[in-house]
Amino acid sequence: MYYQDLGEECMVGVGPWVRAVGWLDIAYPYTQGSVEPAFLEALQQHLKRPWTPVASAGPHFCQFCPEKPRGGAANVWIPTERHVFIAPELIVHYITDHGYRPPEAFIEAVLACPAQRSPEYMELIRPTQQRYEEMSRVSRHPRR
């Protein structure tokens, strides 16, 4: 499912605080280029046990690999003081196998982000967590 890089909407988040990254689709061009090994390693560490406020309804499969489809259902939230970057776990596959280069702002955020679920991370992600909790309360108790 395609969402524009740095757009305010993706499969699992929407709003002025969201920045989508890596939601690629075969029908849309994407930025290509190399990334530093330190960035890729940091991103892979974030994806080992990512904090996630919502469950996925199932895997998303890489459209660029029809012979041996790669799939993933997890997403990674990379918070900053102003935004939360949200990327699908397939972003690593897109980078390593298809030459995708994420936006520089995302690369910088990944490198600066505390370890997932660490106290520092949880403090930084708190505004995002509160937004999801509020949306959950509203959806369970709609106004009549």
Side-chain angles (χ1 to χ4, degrees):
M1 173 147 308
Y2 174 78
Y3 293 96
Q4 180 179 354
D5 273 352
L6 303 180
E8 296 180 355
E9 177 181 5
C10 67
M11 178 74 75
V12 293
V14 62
W17 48 278
V18 168
R19 293 296 178 266
V21 176
W23 298 86
L24 305 186
D25 185 288
I26 200 163
Y28 296 88
Y30 58 90
T31 303
Q32 294 186 307
S34 62
V35 298
E36 294 295 322
F39 160 72
L40 190 56
E41 183 178 320
L43 182 57
Q44 289 170 324
Q45 286 299 315
H46 282 292
L47 278 160
K48 283 188 176 179
R49 192 171 160 245
W51 174 85
T52 191
V54 294
S56 175
H60 173 76
F61 293 95
C62 175
Q63 297 175 342
F64 304 102
C65 295
E67 304 85 35
K68 287 177 77 175
R70 299 280 301 264
N75 299 296
V76 65
W77 277 254
I78 303 294
T80 69
E81 291 292 331
R82 296 184 61 206
H83 307 294
V84 62
F85 293 93
I86 306 174
E89 75 175 303
L90 276 177
I91 191 170
V92 171
H93 169 71
Y94 293 148
I95 292 167
T96 60
D97 292 2
H98 302 295
Y100 169 62
R101 180 172 172 80
E104 194 63 35
F106 177 72
I107 292 171
E108 292 171 6
V110 167
L111 290 170
C113 187
Q116 296 279 311
R117 301 174 187 270
S118 68
E120 298 83 6
Y121 178 90
M122 296 310 295
E123 182 64 26
L124 202 52
I125 200 72
R126 187 165 21 114
T128 299
Q129 185 175 16
Q130 291 170 339
R131 287 178 183 108
Y132 276 93
E133 288 170 358
E134 178 61 28
M135 286 188 300
S136 177
R137 281 193 298 275
V138 169
S139 67
R140 282 186 298 212
H141 305 290
R143 294 181 181 168
R144 296 176 196 234

